[in-house]
Amino acid sequence: MSDWREAARLDQLSEDAPHAANVDGRAIGLYLLDGEVRAIGDLCPHMKSVLLSQGYLEDGTIECPMHQSQFEIRTGRCLGPPADEDVPVYPVKVEDGLVLVDLG
Ligand code: FES
């Protein structure tokens, strides 16, 4: 079942930097990649208190600021240790300049 929630305004997002959103208590990182908005779980699975959106963004991946595990933004896939779990990917749509994510 869909559960679309407002996460940000589109004009808050930039190709150059992640945007940390708190959506109904859930930490979600928003990314603008090649003009498309992507949303992934923002808590690093290695230590669930670290926000990936505070990390280093490069070529469609985000690197955890704590121990440098990398995650593919389009798929949420963990690309290397010490983290060993993927992060969730959330469906996204943009309506009237608002970014909505499906917490489903
Ligand atoms: S907290 Fe992210 S890799 Fe350790």
Side-chain angles (χ1 to χ4, degrees):
M1 197 171 83
S2 295
D3 183 13
W4 293 99
R5 303 292 180 97
E6 183 180 327
R9 294 189 323 269
L10 183 59
D11 64 11
Q12 292 178 287
L13 306 189
S14 135
E15 298 267 351
D16 302 326
H19 179 87
N22 183 319
V23 186
D24 200 27
R26 212 176 295 194
I28 295 179
L30 299 174
Y31 299 84
L32 193 58
L33 290 183
D34 299 326
E36 282 191 39
V37 182
R38 306 282 179 164
I40 61 173
D42 204 18
L43 294 179
C44 181
H46 182 229
M47 288 173 59
K48 295 193 189 307
S49 57
V50 177
L51 293 179
L52 296 175
S53 60
Q54 304 299 308
Y56 180 61
L57 174 67
E58 185 178 57
D59 290 339
T61 65
I62 185 73
E63 182 180 87
C64 178
M66 188 66 81
H67 307 111
Q68 289 74 50
S69 277
Q70 292 185 325
F71 298 84
E72 192 174 61
I73 293 163
R74 284 179 178 78
T75 62
R77 195 159 63 92
C78 177
L79 300 177
D84 60 0
E85 285 174 54
D86 300 341
V87 292
V89 176
Y90 296 94
V92 175
K93 64 183 177 183
V94 177
E95 285 181 357
D96 299 328
L98 296 177
V99 176
L100 306 174
V101 299
D102 183 4
L103 298 184

